[in-house]
Amino acid sequence: MVFRGTITDAPDFDASADAETLYNAMKGIGSDKEAILDMVTSRSNAQRQEIIAAYKCSFGKDLIEDLKYELTGKFERLIVSLMRSRAYHDAKEIHDGAGTNERCLIEVLASRNNTQIHEMVAAYKDAYGSDIEEDVIADTSGHFKKMLVVLLQGTRDESGVVDADLVEQDAQDLYAAGEEQWGTDEAKFIMILGNRSVTHLHMVFDAYEKIAEMTIEDSIKNELSGDFERLMLAVVQCIRSVPMFFAKRLYKSMKGLGTADNTLIRIMISRSEIDMLDIRECFRLRYEKSLYNMIKDDTSGDYKRTLLNLCGGDDDLAGEFFPEAAQIAYKMWELSAMTKVQVWLRPSVRPAPDFDPAADAQALRKAMKGFGTDEDAIIDIVAHRSNAQRQEIRQAFKSLLGRDLMKDLKSELSKNLERLIIGLMLTPAEFNAKMMRKAMEGAGTDEHALIEILVTRSNEEIQAMNAAYQDAYKKTLEEAIQSDTSGHFCRILVSLVQGAREEGPADCVLHDFKELADACNAESDDMEMKFMSILCTRSFPHLRKVFQEFVRCTNKDIEQIIKKEMSGDVKNAFYAIVRSVKNQPSYFADRLYKAMKGLGTDDRALIRIMVSRSEVDLFNIRKEFKETHDESLHEFIQVETMIVSQSLCLLTLTVGLLCSHVTCVSLRSFFLNLCCLCASV
């Protein structure tokens, strides 16, 4: 196993000298905390055990007890935990969390190899005089308990030998145990996921996806629940990538208000001598922020300094990967979600069966006729029809009733609900053109909207938008952009608005990689022009290969270079292109999160994305949102938008409906069904 930790054996190690240094640091009134943390974090765990023995021999005292006496709070917890052997630390975490912290139990047992589990079982018996399996059985139940017992045996196949026939059989068995039948054969999931080798399961997951047309993670979410679901998902995540599993755990421990310090301490200690470098790279690749900086922003004092020492360095400051870790980034580009997303793009709004445009036109007229407006009826029809069907309804409304449906809707609805419903009734080209117009009209310019639209639309969509803009506003979109923006940012937008991005497979990858690499050493203006000539014109599959080659050959991350070397709207535009190349649904999930987090909601951005992606990839966006923010998109929309007003409440419900397939009649029952059904779709 290749060493990927940040803490190594100290050279010229002298356990007795270190013991004396620690003794002096704690002698007298007060203690020299900086000396303690520097000493402890610059020695490996094996060396710390020698220091403990030397301390007792030299001073007749227990070092851990002295540290507990001298230090306080989270800093004391962290230093004392570092002084324990890894096996005893794991044993203590499970013992202290028994019956109360199932997530700790899940994290430890899902991520440890056979040797680590055997050592932990022995340490538990030695420290607490009881059998860990018996204690787990006493504190848990059901299938969750059974899977934990399987993992505690530490008998996963680690031979690396793969039987192709068994791979297909396991994939078929998992499908038959879940998606293919009513109910779930949990025992089959436990047997296969708890015992097969990592290499074997990688292949099983790929085979399963072909059979079920969904990932194993999605099936687990559909078929299982509670702690058992969380455990099985953790096992799958660790099979796919242990560093990515811990990167996600670390992010969740620090995001939002408050910090889950026990989780943070446990992971930083347990992985500091194993794969912390890989975790850092996964963290930065997923969250566009270094682990170092997130710890720095979320903690304080000696506690913070100790954690930062364990982290080992600021990847944002470095702007490049460690040599070996660059290969992790290389593989992540290779296996980026976009490669799967291109095949599995899934909308959340589809054509309605038994569609009757005349009946829908009459129903909409009835909803708007007389005193008041039946918003529920309008929402139910509009959100359950595809855009092509809505265009048929518009035509039928005019043919049967001699009225303009769009004008009637504008007169009957108001504020954000009117914006959303009208947006849904426009053709995609008309809607995109209108959004571009709104982004540029008035005193200010919404540069983020301009970037989002032009970066994420296909050539065909951009050309259709150009025609719709010319028809609606009697000037070209290019002219509008040129009059409203300037400099390199204007040139980038003008390049994108041509709708002439190359299409097809990667070609001349090495040439473009070298051009980008050379541009990084050029003057700022030359660098931006060279980036524009490649990022704005090459196909996404081509750019993915270019960025991958960039990482492999330079050890540098193209995203970090853009963030470090560029600024303003130019930086935002190039950054959006890179994010979209890597994983466009993830880019939109991030845009939605930013539109709703904090004080106030960017309703235009929320409406723009929900409308434009509902028939393209909104299902994929929902998955990315849940994966990144640990909260479903519909719940986030509900919390962030429902409070302000009745109009905004209706907006929330309509947007929520776009998020899923829910049919309701009354506003109240619709709202309640949305809350319980949207997350399960």
Side-chain angles (χ1 to χ4, degrees):
M1 182 178 178
V2 178
F3 176 77
R4 302 292 300 124
T6 51
I7 303 297
T8 61
D9 285 337
D12 304 321
F13 172 64
D14 185 335
S16 296
D18 286 351
E20 186 173 355
T21 299
L22 288 173
Y23 179 79
N24 291 332
M26 293 184 283
K27 189 169 62 175
I29 299 174
S31 55
D32 187 345
K33 297 180 179 63
E34 191 167 337
I36 294 171
L37 74 87
D38 284 342
M39 171 72 70
V40 172
T41 57
S42 61
R43 304 295 185 268
S44 68
N45 189 271
Q47 289 176 331
R48 293 181 208 125
Q49 306 316 305
E50 291 186 50
I51 294 171
I52 290 172
Y55 192 91
K56 183 164 282 189
C57 288
S58 298
F59 306 106
K61 302 179 73 175
D62 187 305
L63 175 56
I64 289 180
E65 290 302 318
D66 280 2
L67 289 168
K68 286 180 180 179
Y69 180 79
E70 291 291 333
L71 309 177
T72 59
K74 292 176 285 191
F75 179 57
E76 177 261 320
R77 245 187 294 165
L78 177 54
I79 293 296
V80 168
S81 296
L82 279 165
M83 296 306 299
R84 295 192 181 96
S85 72
R86 283 197 294 266
Y88 278 85
H89 181 246
D90 279 350
K92 187 175 191 305
E93 288 293 294
I94 287 180
H95 181 268
D96 291 353
T100 59
N101 191 352
E102 286 78 9
R103 291 178 191 269
C104 167
L105 197 58
I106 290 169
E107 176 199 300
V108 172
L109 293 184
S111 63
R112 301 319 192 240
N113 62 32
N114 291 347
T115 300
Q116 291 166 340
I117 287 175
H118 294 155
E119 290 173 351
M120 177 188 66
V121 169
Y124 191 98
K125 181 78 171 178
D126 181 60
Y128 303 108
S130 61
D131 186 85
I132 188 172
E133 183 178 323
E134 292 176 1
D135 288 354
V136 165
I137 289 172
D139 282 318
T140 58
S141 61
H143 298 296
F144 177 56
K145 174 183 70 178
K146 293 173 186 174
M147 184 61 176
L148 291 175
V149 170
V150 168
L151 295 174
L152 275 169
Q153 306 315 301
T155 54
R156 184 179 296 284
D157 178 10
E158 294 181 342
S159 67
V161 177
V162 176
D163 181 337
D165 292 336
L166 185 58
V167 167
E168 292 300 323
Q169 184 62 55
D170 281 350
Q172 193 61 57
D173 286 349
L174 286 172
Y175 181 62
E179 295 294 335
E180 195 177 41
Q181 67 175 22
W182 180 260
T184 307
D185 181 359
E186 290 88 351
K188 188 64 69 175
F189 276 80
I190 291 171
M191 188 275 289
I192 294 173
L193 295 183
N195 290 282
R196 300 290 194 252
S197 72
V198 171
T199 307
H200 176 89
L201 286 174
H202 272 292
M203 298 176 70
V204 169
F205 297 161
D206 289 340
Y208 181 90
E209 194 162 336
K210 292 176 183 176
I211 296 170
E213 296 189 352
M214 67 171 64
T215 65
I216 188 68
E217 291 93 336
D218 287 337
S219 288
I220 288 171
K221 291 172 186 175
N222 290 341
E223 299 294 328
L224 311 179
S225 62
D227 289 328
F228 184 45
E229 175 194 349
R230 281 188 282 274
L231 174 58
M232 298 305 266
L233 285 173
V235 169
V236 170
Q237 289 169 14
C238 287
I239 293 297
R240 291 198 187 277
S241 170
V242 171
M244 182 58 79
F245 170 74
F246 281 115
K248 292 175 183 177
R249 290 281 294 156
L250 285 167
Y251 179 77
K252 290 174 184 177
S253 75
M254 291 181 281
K255 74 165 191 148
L257 295 174
T259 303
D261 293 295
N262 286 342
T263 301
L264 179 58
I265 290 170
R266 182 173 59 251
I267 297 173
M268 295 302 293
I269 289 174
S270 66
R271 311 314 293 186
S272 62
E273 295 184 44
I274 300 174
D275 55 4
M276 184 58 69
L277 291 177
D278 295 331
I279 292 170
R280 281 166 46 180
E281 297 304 341
C282 290
F283 193 97
R284 185 171 62 147
L285 283 165
R286 183 164 188 85
Y287 301 110
E288 284 88 45
K289 181 175 185 176
S290 72
L291 174 60
Y292 187 95
N293 272 325
M294 192 148 186
I295 292 171
K296 190 175 179 181
D297 293 342
D298 210 64
T299 59
S300 61
D302 297 314
Y303 177 57
K304 174 176 75 174
R305 284 192 284 275
T306 308
L307 289 171
L308 292 179
N309 283 356
L310 294 176
C311 182
D314 182 0
D315 301 309
D316 286 345
L317 189 63
E320 62 182 72
F321 297 109
F322 290 91
E324 301 88 345
Q327 300 310 310
I328 298 292
Y330 181 88
K331 290 175 184 175
M332 288 185 72
W333 273 110
E334 179 97 341
L335 302 172
S336 70
M338 192 62 187
T339 58
K340 292 182 180 178
V341 165
Q342 286 184 318
V343 181
W344 301 107
L345 286 180
R346 296 177 64 182
S348 60
V349 173
R350 303 177 189 274
D354 304 320
F355 171 61
D356 184 343
D360 284 348
Q362 294 286 3
L364 285 172
R365 177 60 187 151
K366 182 180 178 182
M368 295 184 282
K369 195 173 180 181
F371 184 74
T373 303
D374 186 351
E375 284 111 341
D376 289 0
I378 296 172
I379 290 169
D380 194 49
I381 292 171
V382 173
H384 283 98
R385 305 296 184 266
S386 68
N387 190 272
Q389 289 176 331
R390 293 182 206 123
Q391 304 317 308
E392 291 187 55
I393 295 171
R394 284 175 67 178
Q395 186 59 52
F397 198 90
K398 182 164 282 188
S399 299
L400 295 172
L401 305 168
R403 302 174 67 91
D404 187 315
L405 176 56
M406 304 296 273
K407 288 182 179 178
D408 282 5
L409 288 169
K410 286 179 181 178
S411 68
E412 293 294 328
L413 305 175
S414 61
K415 297 183 180 178
N416 287 318
L417 183 60
E418 180 256 325
R419 281 190 216 163
L420 177 55
I421 296 296
I422 293 298
L424 287 164
M425 293 304 301
L426 293 168
T427 68
E430 290 170 339
F431 180 71
N432 285 333
K434 184 176 181 180
M435 292 298 98
M436 291 293 288
R437 175 77 170 187
K438 290 291 184 185
M440 292 183 284
E441 71 180 1
T445 302
D446 186 348
E447 290 85 358
H448 288 290
L450 298 178
I451 291 168
E452 175 201 300
I453 295 169
L454 291 176
V455 163
T456 60
R457 300 318 191 248
S458 67
N459 289 346
E460 185 180 355
E461 289 169 330
I462 289 174
Q463 289 158 10
M465 175 178 65
N466 281 331
Y469 195 96
Q470 173 83 49
D471 184 58
Y473 306 112
K474 311 308 176 190
K475 68 184 295 188
T476 69
L477 182 51
E478 181 179 330
E479 289 170 345
I481 289 170
Q482 288 174 329
S483 66
D484 209 65
T485 60
S486 61
H488 286 310
F489 180 57
C490 176
R491 296 189 187 99
I492 292 169
L493 297 184
V494 168
S495 176
L496 293 171
V497 85
Q498 304 309 306
R501 185 181 289 281
E502 295 171 0
E503 296 177 340
D507 190 26
C508 302
V509 169
L510 288 177
H511 173 270
D512 282 351
F513 146 67
K514 289 175 181 176
E515 290 286 297
L516 289 178
D518 290 343
C520 292
N521 299 317
E523 295 295 326
S524 177
D525 285 355
D526 292 338
M527 178 183 182
E528 291 174 357
M529 291 303 293
K530 183 59 69 177
F531 267 61
M532 185 184 79
S533 69
I534 295 173
L535 269 61
C536 295
T537 62
R538 304 295 195 260
S539 71
F540 276 19
H542 175 90
L543 288 174
R544 190 174 305 111
K545 290 291 185 183
V546 171
F547 298 157
Q548 186 183 21
E549 194 66 18
F550 193 92
V551 168
R552 188 178 71 83
C553 296
T554 69
N555 267 9
K556 294 182 179 179
D557 180 1
I558 196 77
E559 293 181 33
Q560 292 300 320
I561 285 176
I562 290 169
K563 288 169 71 174
K564 187 177 179 181
E565 301 295 334
M566 300 180 187
S567 61
D569 296 325
V570 171
K571 177 186 75 173
N572 293 335
F574 287 145
Y575 190 69
I577 292 172
V578 175
R579 289 291 313 279
S580 292
V581 168
K582 182 185 287 186
N583 185 340
Q584 197 163 95
S586 175
Y587 167 72
F588 278 117
D590 187 53
R591 292 282 298 141
L592 284 169
Y593 180 74
K594 290 175 179 174
M596 292 181 283
K597 75 169 185 174
L599 295 175
T601 300
D602 184 349
D603 298 306
R604 286 191 187 277
L606 177 60
I607 292 170
R608 182 175 64 248
I609 296 171
M610 299 299 291
V611 169
S612 66
R613 310 315 294 183
S614 61
E615 293 185 51
V616 182
D617 56 1
L618 190 53
F619 184 89
N620 306 83
I621 293 168
R622 283 168 43 196
K623 286 179 62 179
E624 292 293 337
F625 194 98
K626 174 76 173 177
E627 187 72 19
T628 303
H629 302 292
D630 202 28
E631 186 172 1
S632 73
L633 177 57
H634 95 281
E635 289 170 345
F636 203 77
I637 291 171
Q638 179 185 314
V639 170
E640 295 297 324
T641 64
M642 67 174 285
I643 307 168
V644 182
S645 66
Q646 174 67 12
S647 170
L648 204 50
C649 184
L650 287 167
L651 167 70
T652 304
L653 302 179
T654 312
V655 169
L657 192 53
L658 291 177
C659 235
S660 62
H661 295 300
V662 185
T663 304
C664 302
V665 179
S666 81
L667 189 60
R668 177 63 176 164
S669 67
F670 173 71
F671 181 76
L672 294 174
N673 276 278
L674 173 64
C675 292
C676 64
L677 292 180
C678 188
S680 65
V681 176

